[in-house]
Amino acid sequence: MSTITAPRGVRDILPEESWKWAHVLSATGKIAYAHSYREIHLPVFEQTDLFSRGIGETTDVVEKEMYTFLDRGKRSLTLRPEATASMVRAYLQNKMQSDQQPVKLWCAGPMFRYERPQKGRYRQFWQIDVEALGSDNPLVDVEVISVALALFEDLGLSNLDVVINSVGCPACRPAYREELQTYFSDHIDELCETCKSRLHRNPLRILDCKNERCREITENAPDIYSSLCQECRVHFDAVLDGLRMLGIHFHLDKRLVRGLDYYTKTAFEVLSGELGAQNAVCGGGRYDNLSEAVGGPHLPGVGFAAGLERIVLIMEQQQCSFGRKPSIDIYVVSADETSRKEAFSLVTELRKNGLKADLDFLDRSMKAQFKSAVSKESKFTCILGESEISEGTVTLKDLRTGEQVAVPRQEAASYVLSRI
Ligand code: AMP
């Protein structure tokens, strides 16, 4: 029988990497709370309708990428491909309309999309999601963007590019769609097959096609700015003014439309040259009509999602600090058969005193135990042999300096604690 491996596009986050994730998530909590965003835990699966109605039937995510299944009660459920629709559902279901507005929330967790796996693109990946629900104030858009940038700055990321656009609203987008359809119809034979099929379903998506010829054609496509209605234009200008006020550099990108239908007005991404083809580290925008699309009342909202794997990739490439790698303070080495059991009780005492402590469970030689201490990057070893047990002492060695002392056993913890 062949050994079972993880499905394509998903991976184990091993301890060598998971401590880096913990660092990013702890920074996220710190920055989110500093901006008064509170953490929420959302379910990993939802009713399929939430996504098909919320994200949009004609989007790649809904058409091709969802992990949808029937449960034993024949209900159609979907592993969440993103968190925004769930945030809106949670807001409505938990009657957060009666809380102070905007309701500012964040969450982090795995998302699932059936995409072609490549560097920085997986079928299970983690997103950090930050959302502000219940306000149409353009300064909230600015705040959300500034939360993303504050997080990236805190993590030490550099050379990021903020790109922004407005995708209009249901009042002004139809006219722009038509304008695009007319423009692209003249070039229909030159477009890639996917874009040909997008022409009538979702012409805005042609703008962000990565195909070289499609990109050349979109170069001269009409931009949305001149089609924006008064309300969208005033909103967009206010967002840009707010960004300038905070000294946030950005580029306008008329091609930025994003893959999810629910966006209205502001759409933005943060890009990194470090990521190759998958260059977006974070994407977001405003979604004032999402709530209505899933059967709720009008509820303005704005937020972003940042990819955890991609953040870690950039940090590694830019040699950013992940803080201190977890290691142990003390490794107890037993010198002989009789001290093995005693070593276990000593380790327990040391742990109770607040030390990170470990020992050997395989009855290995002292030499092998010292090697373990070094490979676990322990700061101290504590040698326990027959003579130490009869004298009530232990021998402590500081592995950083080589200094070795014998101390009474009950003082071992305080000795090490004062030196780490
Ligand atoms: P989106 O929800 O598509 O706007 O994506 C927001 C962010 O999530 C992107 O900027 C990426 O950092 C990350 N992301 C999206 N899809 C994937 C994926 N398949 N694998 C890894 N990260 C992803």
mmCIF file with all atom_site columns, all heavy atoms in Angstrom, residues 81-82 113 115 120-123 125-127 258 260 263 280-283 305-307 309-310, ligand 1:
data_model
loop_
_atom_site.group_PDB
_atom_site.id
_atom_site.type_symbol
_atom_site.label_atom_id
_atom_site.label_alt_id
_atom_site.label_comp_id
_atom_site.label_asym_id
_atom_site.label_entity_id
_atom_site.label_seq_id
_atom_site.pdbx_PDB_ins_code
_atom_site.Cartn_x
_atom_site.Cartn_y
_atom_site.Cartn_z
_atom_site.occupancy
_atom_site.B_iso_or_equiv
_atom_site.pdbx_formal_charge
_atom_site.auth_seq_id
_atom_site.auth_comp_id
_atom_site.auth_asym_id
_atom_site.auth_atom_id
_atom_site.pdbx_PDB_model_num
ATOM   1   N N   . PRO A 1 81  ? -13.850 30.285 0.977   1.00 0.00 ? 81  PRO A N   1
ATOM   2   C CA  . PRO A 1 81  ? -12.744 30.716 0.116   1.00 0.00 ? 81  PRO A CA  1
ATOM   3   C C   . PRO A 1 81  ? -12.194 32.073 0.549   1.00 0.00 ? 81  PRO A C   1
ATOM   4   O O   . PRO A 1 81  ? -11.137 32.509 0.085   1.00 0.00 ? 81  PRO A O   1
ATOM   5   C CB  . PRO A 1 81  ? -13.396 30.825 -1.266  1.00 0.00 ? 81  PRO A CB  1
ATOM   6   C CG  . PRO A 1 81  ? -14.846 31.053 -0.993  1.00 0.00 ? 81  PRO A CG  1
ATOM   7   C CD  . PRO A 1 81  ? -15.165 30.476 0.354   1.00 0.00 ? 81  PRO A CD  1
ATOM   8   N N   . GLU A 1 82  ? -12.907 32.756 1.440   1.00 0.00 ? 82  GLU A N   1
ATOM   9   C CA  . GLU A 1 82  ? -12.498 34.071 1.943   1.00 0.00 ? 82  GLU A CA  1
ATOM   10  C C   . GLU A 1 82  ? -13.371 34.376 3.151   1.00 0.00 ? 82  GLU A C   1
ATOM   11  O O   . GLU A 1 82  ? -14.314 33.624 3.437   1.00 0.00 ? 82  GLU A O   1
ATOM   12  C CB  . GLU A 1 82  ? -12.640 35.136 0.859   1.00 0.00 ? 82  GLU A CB  1
ATOM   13  C CG  . GLU A 1 82  ? -14.029 35.212 0.241   1.00 0.00 ? 82  GLU A CG  1
ATOM   14  C CD  . GLU A 1 82  ? -14.843 36.374 0.744   1.00 0.00 ? 82  GLU A CD  1
ATOM   15  O OE1 . GLU A 1 82  ? -14.355 37.498 0.650   1.00 0.00 ? 82  GLU A OE1 1
ATOM   16  O OE2 . GLU A 1 82  ? -15.965 36.155 1.239   1.00 0.00 ? 82  GLU A OE2 1
ATOM   17  N N   . ARG A 1 113 ? -9.249  27.337 -1.735  1.00 0.00 ? 113 ARG A N   1
ATOM   18  C CA  . ARG A 1 113 ? -9.615  27.615 -3.131  1.00 0.00 ? 113 ARG A CA  1
ATOM   19  C C   . ARG A 1 113 ? -8.948  26.584 -4.032  1.00 0.00 ? 113 ARG A C   1
ATOM   20  O O   . ARG A 1 113 ? -7.744  26.323 -3.878  1.00 0.00 ? 113 ARG A O   1
ATOM   21  C CB  . ARG A 1 113 ? -9.147  29.017 -3.563  1.00 0.00 ? 113 ARG A CB  1
ATOM   22  C CG  . ARG A 1 113 ? -9.872  30.127 -2.860  1.00 0.00 ? 113 ARG A CG  1
ATOM   23  C CD  . ARG A 1 113 ? -9.442  31.484 -3.396  1.00 0.00 ? 113 ARG A CD  1
ATOM   24  N NE  . ARG A 1 113 ? -9.851  32.523 -2.461  1.00 0.00 ? 113 ARG A NE  1
ATOM   25  C CZ  . ARG A 1 113 ? -9.503  33.790 -2.542  1.00 0.00 ? 113 ARG A CZ  1
ATOM   26  N NH1 . ARG A 1 113 ? -8.734  34.197 -3.539  1.00 0.00 ? 113 ARG A NH1 1
ATOM   27  N NH2 . ARG A 1 113 ? -9.914  34.664 -1.644  1.00 0.00 ? 113 ARG A NH2 1
ATOM   28  N N   . GLU A 1 115 ? -7.225  26.272 -6.736  1.00 0.00 ? 115 GLU A N   1
ATOM   29  C CA  . GLU A 1 115 ? -6.433  27.031 -7.707  1.00 0.00 ? 115 GLU A CA  1
ATOM   30  C C   . GLU A 1 115 ? -5.244  26.193 -8.131  1.00 0.00 ? 115 GLU A C   1
ATOM   31  O O   . GLU A 1 115 ? -4.919  25.200 -7.490  1.00 0.00 ? 115 GLU A O   1
ATOM   32  C CB  . GLU A 1 115 ? -5.907  28.308 -7.054  1.00 0.00 ? 115 GLU A CB  1
ATOM   33  C CG  . GLU A 1 115 ? -6.979  29.320 -6.758  1.00 0.00 ? 115 GLU A CG  1
ATOM   34  C CD  . GLU A 1 115 ? -6.388  30.678 -6.380  1.00 0.00 ? 115 GLU A CD  1
ATOM   35  O OE1 . GLU A 1 115 ? -6.073  30.879 -5.195  1.00 0.00 ? 115 GLU A OE1 1
ATOM   36  O OE2 . GLU A 1 115 ? -6.240  31.518 -7.272  1.00 0.00 ? 115 GLU A OE2 1
ATOM   37  N N   . GLY A 1 120 ? 3.701   30.614 -3.496  1.00 0.00 ? 120 GLY A N   1
ATOM   38  C CA  . GLY A 1 120 ? 2.823   31.637 -2.922  1.00 0.00 ? 120 GLY A CA  1
ATOM   39  C C   . GLY A 1 120 ? 1.350   31.429 -3.235  1.00 0.00 ? 120 GLY A C   1
ATOM   40  O O   . GLY A 1 120 ? 0.528   32.275 -2.904  1.00 0.00 ? 120 GLY A O   1
ATOM   41  N N   . ARG A 1 121 ? 1.013   30.320 -3.896  1.00 0.00 ? 121 ARG A N   1
ATOM   42  C CA  . ARG A 1 121 ? -0.408  30.052 -4.157  1.00 0.00 ? 121 ARG A CA  1
ATOM   43  C C   . ARG A 1 121 ? -0.731  28.608 -3.794  1.00 0.00 ? 121 ARG A C   1
ATOM   44  O O   . ARG A 1 121 ? -0.153  27.680 -4.346  1.00 0.00 ? 121 ARG A O   1
ATOM   45  C CB  . ARG A 1 121 ? -0.743  30.317 -5.619  1.00 0.00 ? 121 ARG A CB  1
ATOM   46  C CG  . ARG A 1 121 ? -2.251  30.235 -5.868  1.00 0.00 ? 121 ARG A CG  1
ATOM   47  C CD  . ARG A 1 121 ? -2.665  30.958 -7.107  1.00 0.00 ? 121 ARG A CD  1
ATOM   48  N NE  . ARG A 1 121 ? -2.405  30.151 -8.269  1.00 0.00 ? 121 ARG A NE  1
ATOM   49  C CZ  . ARG A 1 121 ? -2.540  30.576 -9.523  1.00 0.00 ? 121 ARG A CZ  1
ATOM   50  N NH1 . ARG A 1 121 ? -2.902  31.818 -9.758  1.00 0.00 ? 121 ARG A NH1 1
ATOM   51  N NH2 . ARG A 1 121 ? -2.292  29.792 -10.532 1.00 0.00 ? 121 ARG A NH2 1
ATOM   52  N N   . TYR A 1 122 ? -1.631  28.443 -2.857  1.00 0.00 ? 122 TYR A N   1
ATOM   53  C CA  . TYR A 1 122 ? -1.959  27.127 -2.330  1.00 0.00 ? 122 TYR A CA  1
ATOM   54  C C   . TYR A 1 122 ? -3.464  26.910 -2.382  1.00 0.00 ? 122 TYR A C   1
ATOM   55  O O   . TYR A 1 122 ? -4.228  27.838 -2.637  1.00 0.00 ? 122 TYR A O   1
ATOM   56  C CB  . TYR A 1 122 ? -1.474  27.010 -0.867  1.00 0.00 ? 122 TYR A CB  1
ATOM   57  C CG  . TYR A 1 122 ? -0.051  27.455 -0.714  1.00 0.00 ? 122 TYR A CG  1
ATOM   58  C CD1 . TYR A 1 122 ? 0.243   28.749 -0.278  1.00 0.00 ? 122 TYR A CD1 1
ATOM   59  C CD2 . TYR A 1 122 ? 1.003   26.612 -1.071  1.00 0.00 ? 122 TYR A CD2 1
ATOM   60  C CE1 . TYR A 1 122 ? 1.559   29.182 -0.186  1.00 0.00 ? 122 TYR A CE1 1
ATOM   61  C CE2 . TYR A 1 122 ? 2.316   27.040 -0.983  1.00 0.00 ? 122 TYR A CE2 1
ATOM   62  C CZ  . TYR A 1 122 ? 2.590   28.324 -0.544  1.00 0.00 ? 122 TYR A CZ  1
ATOM   63  O OH  . TYR A 1 122 ? 3.878   28.757 -0.457  1.00 0.00 ? 122 TYR A OH  1
ATOM   64  N N   . ARG A 1 123 ? -3.877  25.677 -2.103  1.00 0.00 ? 123 ARG A N   1
ATOM   65  C CA  . ARG A 1 123 ? -5.318  25.399 -2.072  1.00 0.00 ? 123 ARG A CA  1
ATOM   66  C C   . ARG A 1 123 ? -5.877  25.590 -0.668  1.00 0.00 ? 123 ARG A C   1
ATOM   67  O O   . ARG A 1 123 ? -7.047  25.848 -0.496  1.00 0.00 ? 123 ARG A O   1
ATOM   68  C CB  . ARG A 1 123 ? -5.578  23.993 -2.617  1.00 0.00 ? 123 ARG A CB  1
ATOM   69  C CG  . ARG A 1 123 ? -5.291  23.971 -4.103  1.00 0.00 ? 123 ARG A CG  1
ATOM   70  C CD  . ARG A 1 123 ? -5.584  22.658 -4.761  1.00 0.00 ? 123 ARG A CD  1
ATOM   71  N NE  . ARG A 1 123 ? -5.430  22.823 -6.203  1.00 0.00 ? 123 ARG A NE  1
ATOM   72  C CZ  . ARG A 1 123 ? -5.450  21.836 -7.076  1.00 0.00 ? 123 ARG A CZ  1
ATOM   73  N NH1 . ARG A 1 123 ? -5.619  20.591 -6.665  1.00 0.00 ? 123 ARG A NH1 1
ATOM   74  N NH2 . ARG A 1 123 ? -5.316  22.076 -8.356  1.00 0.00 ? 123 ARG A NH2 1
ATOM   75  N N   . PHE A 1 125 ? -4.767  28.116 2.361   1.00 0.00 ? 125 PHE A N   1
ATOM   76  C CA  . PHE A 1 125 ? -3.831  29.176 2.730   1.00 0.00 ? 125 PHE A CA  1
ATOM   77  C C   . PHE A 1 125 ? -4.485  30.007 3.821   1.00 0.00 ? 125 PHE A C   1
ATOM   78  O O   . PHE A 1 125 ? -5.704  29.973 3.991   1.00 0.00 ? 125 PHE A O   1
ATOM   79  C CB  . PHE A 1 125 ? -3.508  30.052 1.504   1.00 0.00 ? 125 PHE A CB  1
ATOM   80  C CG  . PHE A 1 125 ? -4.742  30.648 0.859   1.00 0.00 ? 125 PHE A CG  1
ATOM   81  C CD1 . PHE A 1 125 ? -5.147  31.943 1.167   1.00 0.00 ? 125 PHE A CD1 1
ATOM   82  C CD2 . PHE A 1 125 ? -5.506  29.898 -0.017  1.00 0.00 ? 125 PHE A CD2 1
ATOM   83  C CE1 . PHE A 1 125 ? -6.307  32.472 0.596   1.00 0.00 ? 125 PHE A CE1 1
ATOM   84  C CE2 . PHE A 1 125 ? -6.669  30.430 -0.587  1.00 0.00 ? 125 PHE A CE2 1
ATOM   85  C CZ  . PHE A 1 125 ? -7.071  31.708 -0.281  1.00 0.00 ? 125 PHE A CZ  1
ATOM   86  N N   . TRP A 1 126 ? -3.673  30.714 4.549   1.00 0.00 ? 126 TRP A N   1
ATOM   87  C CA  . TRP A 1 126 ? -4.217  31.524 5.649   1.00 0.00 ? 126 TRP A CA  1
ATOM   88  C C   . TRP A 1 126 ? -4.360  32.976 5.235   1.00 0.00 ? 126 TRP A C   1
ATOM   89  O O   . TRP A 1 126 ? -3.502  33.519 4.536   1.00 0.00 ? 126 TRP A O   1
ATOM   90  C CB  . TRP A 1 126 ? -3.295  31.435 6.862   1.00 0.00 ? 126 TRP A CB  1
ATOM   91  C CG  . TRP A 1 126 ? -3.602  30.273 7.757   1.00 0.00 ? 126 TRP A CG  1
ATOM   92  C CD1 . TRP A 1 126 ? -3.676  28.958 7.380   1.00 0.00 ? 126 TRP A CD1 1
ATOM   93  C CD2 . TRP A 1 126 ? -3.865  30.324 9.157   1.00 0.00 ? 126 TRP A CD2 1
ATOM   94  N NE1 . TRP A 1 126 ? -3.974  28.188 8.477   1.00 0.00 ? 126 TRP A NE1 1
ATOM   95  C CE2 . TRP A 1 126 ? -4.090  28.994 9.577   1.00 0.00 ? 126 TRP A CE2 1
ATOM   96  C CE3 . TRP A 1 126 ? -3.926  31.352 10.091  1.00 0.00 ? 126 TRP A CE3 1
ATOM   97  C CZ2 . TRP A 1 126 ? -4.372  28.681 10.914  1.00 0.00 ? 126 TRP A CZ2 1
ATOM   98  C CZ3 . TRP A 1 126 ? -4.197  31.036 11.415  1.00 0.00 ? 126 TRP A CZ3 1
ATOM   99  C CH2 . TRP A 1 126 ? -4.423  29.710 11.820  1.00 0.00 ? 126 TRP A CH2 1
ATOM   100 N N   . GLN A 1 127 ? -5.449  33.567 5.675   1.00 0.00 ? 127 GLN A N   1
ATOM   101 C CA  . GLN A 1 127 ? -5.603  35.010 5.485   1.00 0.00 ? 127 GLN A CA  1
ATOM   102 C C   . GLN A 1 127 ? -5.774  35.699 6.828   1.00 0.00 ? 127 GLN A C   1
ATOM   103 O O   . GLN A 1 127 ? -6.401  35.163 7.746   1.00 0.00 ? 127 GLN A O   1
ATOM   104 C CB  . GLN A 1 127 ? -6.847  35.311 4.639   1.00 0.00 ? 127 GLN A CB  1
ATOM   105 C CG  . GLN A 1 127 ? -6.615  35.143 3.148   1.00 0.00 ? 127 GLN A CG  1
ATOM   106 C CD  . GLN A 1 127 ? -7.815  35.573 2.313   1.00 0.00 ? 127 GLN A CD  1
ATOM   107 O OE1 . GLN A 1 127 ? -8.928  35.662 2.829   1.00 0.00 ? 127 GLN A OE1 1
ATOM   108 N NE2 . GLN A 1 127 ? -7.588  35.843 1.050   1.00 0.00 ? 127 GLN A NE2 1
ATOM   109 N N   . ARG A 1 258 ? -10.096 43.561 -9.032  1.00 0.00 ? 258 ARG A N   1
ATOM   110 C CA  . ARG A 1 258 ? -10.207 42.491 -8.045  1.00 0.00 ? 258 ARG A CA  1
ATOM   111 C C   . ARG A 1 258 ? -11.202 41.417 -8.474  1.00 0.00 ? 258 ARG A C   1
ATOM   112 O O   . ARG A 1 258 ? -12.114 41.662 -9.242  1.00 0.00 ? 258 ARG A O   1
ATOM   113 C CB  . ARG A 1 258 ? -10.554 43.025 -6.655  1.00 0.00 ? 258 ARG A CB  1
ATOM   114 C CG  . ARG A 1 258 ? -9.823  44.287 -6.310  1.00 0.00 ? 258 ARG A CG  1
ATOM   115 C CD  . ARG A 1 258 ? -8.973  44.283 -5.085  1.00 0.00 ? 258 ARG A CD  1
ATOM   116 N NE  . ARG A 1 258 ? -9.322  43.341 -4.070  1.00 0.00 ? 258 ARG A NE  1
ATOM   117 C CZ  . ARG A 1 258 ? -8.645  42.227 -3.852  1.00 0.00 ? 258 ARG A CZ  1
ATOM   118 N NH1 . ARG A 1 258 ? -7.589  41.944 -4.572  1.00 0.00 ? 258 ARG A NH1 1
ATOM   119 N NH2 . ARG A 1 258 ? -8.993  41.431 -2.885  1.00 0.00 ? 258 ARG A NH2 1
ATOM   120 N N   . LEU A 1 260 ? -13.479 39.647 -6.893  1.00 0.00 ? 260 LEU A N   1
ATOM   121 C CA  . LEU A 1 260 ? -14.735 39.360 -6.203  1.00 0.00 ? 260 LEU A CA  1
ATOM   122 C C   . LEU A 1 260 ? -15.738 40.459 -6.557  1.00 0.00 ? 260 LEU A C   1
ATOM   123 O O   . LEU A 1 260 ? -15.424 41.638 -6.495  1.00 0.00 ? 260 LEU A O   1
ATOM   124 C CB  . LEU A 1 260 ? -14.487 39.307 -4.686  1.00 0.00 ? 260 LEU A CB  1
ATOM   125 C CG  . LEU A 1 260 ? -13.224 38.534 -4.275  1.00 0.00 ? 260 LEU A CG  1
ATOM   126 C CD1 . LEU A 1 260 ? -12.927 38.698 -2.790  1.00 0.00 ? 260 LEU A CD1 1
ATOM   127 C CD2 . LEU A 1 260 ? -13.352 37.049 -4.596  1.00 0.00 ? 260 LEU A CD2 1
ATOM   128 N N   . TYR A 1 263 ? -17.142 44.187 -4.592  1.00 0.00 ? 263 TYR A N   1
ATOM   129 C CA  . TYR A 1 263 ? -16.517 45.478 -4.335  1.00 0.00 ? 263 TYR A CA  1
ATOM   130 C C   . TYR A 1 263 ? -17.302 46.637 -4.939  1.00 0.00 ? 263 TYR A C   1
ATOM   131 O O   . TYR A 1 263 ? -17.853 46.539 -6.038  1.00 0.00 ? 263 TYR A O   1
ATOM   132 C CB  . TYR A 1 263 ? -15.074 45.496 -4.842  1.00 0.00 ? 263 TYR A CB  1
ATOM   133 C CG  . TYR A 1 263 ? -14.166 44.708 -3.919  1.00 0.00 ? 263 TYR A CG  1
ATOM   134 C CD1 . TYR A 1 263 ? -13.616 43.498 -4.310  1.00 0.00 ? 263 TYR A CD1 1
ATOM   135 C CD2 . TYR A 1 263 ? -13.931 45.155 -2.628  1.00 0.00 ? 263 TYR A CD2 1
ATOM   136 C CE1 . TYR A 1 263 ? -12.823 42.757 -3.446  1.00 0.00 ? 263 TYR A CE1 1
ATOM   137 C CE2 . TYR A 1 263 ? -13.150 44.415 -1.746  1.00 0.00 ? 263 TYR A CE2 1
ATOM   138 C CZ  . TYR A 1 263 ? -12.602 43.232 -2.163  1.00 0.00 ? 263 TYR A CZ  1
ATOM   139 O OH  . TYR A 1 263 ? -11.836 42.512 -1.302  1.00 0.00 ? 263 TYR A OH  1
ATOM   140 N N   . ALA A 1 280 ? 0.589   39.968 -5.033  1.00 0.00 ? 280 ALA A N   1
ATOM   141 C CA  . ALA A 1 280 ? -0.259  40.679 -4.065  1.00 0.00 ? 280 ALA A CA  1
ATOM   142 C C   . ALA A 1 280 ? -0.106  40.073 -2.684  1.00 0.00 ? 280 ALA A C   1
ATOM   143 O O   . ALA A 1 280 ? -0.279  38.875 -2.495  1.00 0.00 ? 280 ALA A O   1
ATOM   144 C CB  . ALA A 1 280 ? -1.718  40.612 -4.496  1.00 0.00 ? 280 ALA A CB  1
ATOM   145 N N   . VAL A 1 281 ? 0.253   40.927 -1.734  1.00 0.00 ? 281 VAL A N   1
ATOM   146 C CA  . VAL A 1 281 ? 0.361   40.430 -0.362  1.00 0.00 ? 281 VAL A CA  1
ATOM   147 C C   . VAL A 1 281 ? -0.957  40.688 0.364   1.00 0.00 ? 281 VAL A C   1
ATOM   148 O O   . VAL A 1 281 ? -1.321  39.992 1.310   1.00 0.00 ? 281 VAL A O   1
ATOM   149 C CB  . VAL A 1 281 ? 1.585   41.041 0.354   1.00 0.00 ? 281 VAL A CB  1
ATOM   150 C CG1 . VAL A 1 281 ? 1.542   42.546 0.379   1.00 0.00 ? 281 VAL A CG1 1
ATOM   151 C CG2 . VAL A 1 281 ? 1.734   40.529 1.755   1.00 0.00 ? 281 VAL A CG2 1
ATOM   152 N N   . CYS A 1 282 ? -1.704  41.645 -0.163  1.00 0.00 ? 282 CYS A N   1
ATOM   153 C CA  . CYS A 1 282 ? -2.928  42.037 0.528   1.00 0.00 ? 282 CYS A CA  1
ATOM   154 C C   . CYS A 1 282 ? -3.876  42.680 -0.473  1.00 0.00 ? 282 CYS A C   1
ATOM   155 O O   . CYS A 1 282 ? -3.446  43.367 -1.394  1.00 0.00 ? 282 CYS A O   1
ATOM   156 C CB  . CYS A 1 282 ? -2.496  43.028 1.603   1.00 0.00 ? 282 CYS A CB  1
ATOM   157 S SG  . CYS A 1 282 ? -3.712  44.173 2.172   1.00 0.00 ? 282 CYS A SG  1
ATOM   158 N N   . GLY A 1 283 ? -5.152  42.406 -0.329  1.00 0.00 ? 283 GLY A N   1
ATOM   159 C CA  . GLY A 1 283 ? -6.128  43.027 -1.222  1.00 0.00 ? 283 GLY A CA  1
ATOM   160 C C   . GLY A 1 283 ? -7.396  43.329 -0.459  1.00 0.00 ? 283 GLY A C   1
ATOM   161 O O   . GLY A 1 283 ? -7.754  42.624 0.490   1.00 0.00 ? 283 GLY A O   1
ATOM   162 N N   . ALA A 1 305 ? -7.859  41.540 3.101   1.00 0.00 ? 305 ALA A N   1
ATOM   163 C CA  . ALA A 1 305 ? -7.332  40.233 3.492   1.00 0.00 ? 305 ALA A CA  1
ATOM   164 C C   . ALA A 1 305 ? -5.878  40.177 3.048   1.00 0.00 ? 305 ALA A C   1
ATOM   165 O O   . ALA A 1 305 ? -5.550  40.575 1.923   1.00 0.00 ? 305 ALA A O   1
ATOM   166 C CB  . ALA A 1 305 ? -8.126  39.122 2.823   1.00 0.00 ? 305 ALA A CB  1
ATOM   167 N N   . ALA A 1 306 ? -5.014  39.722 3.942   1.00 0.00 ? 306 ALA A N   1
ATOM   168 C CA  . ALA A 1 306 ? -3.595  39.585 3.604   1.00 0.00 ? 306 ALA A CA  1
ATOM   169 C C   . ALA A 1 306 ? -3.209  38.122 3.731   1.00 0.00 ? 306 ALA A C   1
ATOM   170 O O   . ALA A 1 306 ? -3.667  37.420 4.639   1.00 0.00 ? 306 ALA A O   1
ATOM   171 C CB  . ALA A 1 306 ? -2.741  40.442 4.544   1.00 0.00 ? 306 ALA A CB  1
ATOM   172 N N   . GLY A 1 307 ? -2.389  37.642 2.806   1.00 0.00 ? 307 GLY A N   1
ATOM   173 C CA  . GLY A 1 307 ? -2.004  36.234 2.800   1.00 0.00 ? 307 GLY A CA  1
ATOM   174 C C   . GLY A 1 307 ? -0.838  35.983 3.753   1.00 0.00 ? 307 GLY A C   1
ATOM   175 O O   . GLY A 1 307 ? 0.236   36.561 3.604   1.00 0.00 ? 307 GLY A O   1
ATOM   176 N N   . GLU A 1 309 ? 0.996   33.186 4.241   1.00 0.00 ? 309 GLU A N   1
ATOM   177 C CA  . GLU A 1 309 ? 2.159   32.520 3.607   1.00 0.00 ? 309 GLU A CA  1
ATOM   178 C C   . GLU A 1 309 ? 3.000   33.546 2.858   1.00 0.00 ? 309 GLU A C   1
ATOM   179 O O   . GLU A 1 309 ? 4.226   33.500 2.897   1.00 0.00 ? 309 GLU A O   1
ATOM   180 C CB  . GLU A 1 309 ? 1.701   31.447 2.615   1.00 0.00 ? 309 GLU A CB  1
ATOM   181 C CG  . GLU A 1 309 ? 1.172   30.169 3.232   1.00 0.00 ? 309 GLU A CG  1
ATOM   182 C CD  . GLU A 1 309 ? -0.301  30.268 3.612   1.00 0.00 ? 309 GLU A CD  1
ATOM   183 O OE1 . GLU A 1 309 ? -0.874  31.373 3.513   1.00 0.00 ? 309 GLU A OE1 1
ATOM   184 O OE2 . GLU A 1 309 ? -0.865  29.239 4.028   1.00 0.00 ? 309 GLU A OE2 1
ATOM   185 N N   . ARG A 1 310 ? 2.303   34.454 2.162   1.00 0.00 ? 310 ARG A N   1
ATOM   186 C CA  . ARG A 1 310 ? 3.063   35.432 1.364   1.00 0.00 ? 310 ARG A CA  1
ATOM   187 C C   . ARG A 1 310 ? 3.811   36.427 2.260   1.00 0.00 ? 310 ARG A C   1
ATOM   188 O O   . ARG A 1 310 ? 4.917   36.830 1.945   1.00 0.00 ? 310 ARG A O   1
ATOM   189 C CB  . ARG A 1 310 ? 2.124   36.174 0.408   1.00 0.00 ? 310 ARG A CB  1
ATOM   190 C CG  . ARG A 1 310 ? 1.577   35.221 -0.642  1.00 0.00 ? 310 ARG A CG  1
ATOM   191 C CD  . ARG A 1 310 ? 0.871   35.935 -1.762  1.00 0.00 ? 310 ARG A CD  1
ATOM   192 N NE  . ARG A 1 310 ? 0.106   34.958 -2.533  1.00 0.00 ? 310 ARG A NE  1
ATOM   193 C CZ  . ARG A 1 310 ? -0.721  35.247 -3.506  1.00 0.00 ? 310 ARG A CZ  1
ATOM   194 N NH1 . ARG A 1 310 ? -0.908  36.511 -3.850  1.00 0.00 ? 310 ARG A NH1 1
ATOM   195 N NH2 . ARG A 1 310 ? -1.370  34.308 -4.162  1.00 0.00 ? 310 ARG A NH2 1
HETATM 196 P P1  . AMP B 2 .   ? -8.226  37.829 -2.264  1.00 0.00 ? 1   AMP B P1  1
HETATM 197 O O1  . AMP B 2 .   ? -9.162  37.282 -1.213  1.00 0.00 ? 1   AMP B O1  1
HETATM 198 O O2  . AMP B 2 .   ? -8.209  37.024 -3.523  1.00 0.00 ? 1   AMP B O2  1
HETATM 199 O O3  . AMP B 2 .   ? -8.406  39.288 -2.463  1.00 0.00 ? 1   AMP B O3  1
HETATM 200 O O4  . AMP B 2 .   ? -6.758  37.651 -1.678  1.00 0.00 ? 1   AMP B O4  1
HETATM 201 C C1  . AMP B 2 .   ? -6.252  38.416 -0.623  1.00 0.00 ? 1   AMP B C1  1
HETATM 202 C C2  . AMP B 2 .   ? -4.842  37.935 -0.319  1.00 0.00 ? 1   AMP B C2  1
HETATM 203 O O5  . AMP B 2 .   ? -4.873  36.562 0.081   1.00 0.00 ? 1   AMP B O5  1
HETATM 204 C C3  . AMP B 2 .   ? -3.910  37.952 -1.515  1.00 0.00 ? 1   AMP B C3  1
HETATM 205 O O6  . AMP B 2 .   ? -3.326  39.216 -1.661  1.00 0.00 ? 1   AMP B O6  1
HETATM 206 C C4  . AMP B 2 .   ? -2.888  36.895 -1.134  1.00 0.00 ? 1   AMP B C4  1
HETATM 207 O O7  . AMP B 2 .   ? -1.918  37.427 -0.260  1.00 0.00 ? 1   AMP B O7  1
HETATM 208 C C5  . AMP B 2 .   ? -3.719  35.888 -0.382  1.00 0.00 ? 1   AMP B C5  1
HETATM 209 N N1  . AMP B 2 .   ? -4.124  34.762 -1.255  1.00 0.00 ? 1   AMP B N1  1
HETATM 210 C C6  . AMP B 2 .   ? -5.191  34.694 -2.083  1.00 0.00 ? 1   AMP B C6  1
HETATM 211 N N2  . AMP B 2 .   ? -5.262  33.504 -2.693  1.00 0.00 ? 1   AMP B N2  1
HETATM 212 C C7  . AMP B 2 .   ? -4.207  32.783 -2.242  1.00 0.00 ? 1   AMP B C7  1
HETATM 213 C C8  . AMP B 2 .   ? -3.725  31.456 -2.481  1.00 0.00 ? 1   AMP B C8  1
HETATM 214 N N3  . AMP B 2 .   ? -4.354  30.623 -3.296  1.00 0.00 ? 1   AMP B N3  1
HETATM 215 N N4  . AMP B 2 .   ? -2.599  31.048 -1.835  1.00 0.00 ? 1   AMP B N4  1
HETATM 216 C C9  . AMP B 2 .   ? -1.952  31.874 -0.973  1.00 0.00 ? 1   AMP B C9  1
HETATM 217 N N5  . AMP B 2 .   ? -2.379  33.136 -0.695  1.00 0.00 ? 1   AMP B N5  1
HETATM 218 C C10 . AMP B 2 .   ? -3.478  33.590 -1.312  1.00 0.00 ? 1   AMP B C10 1
#
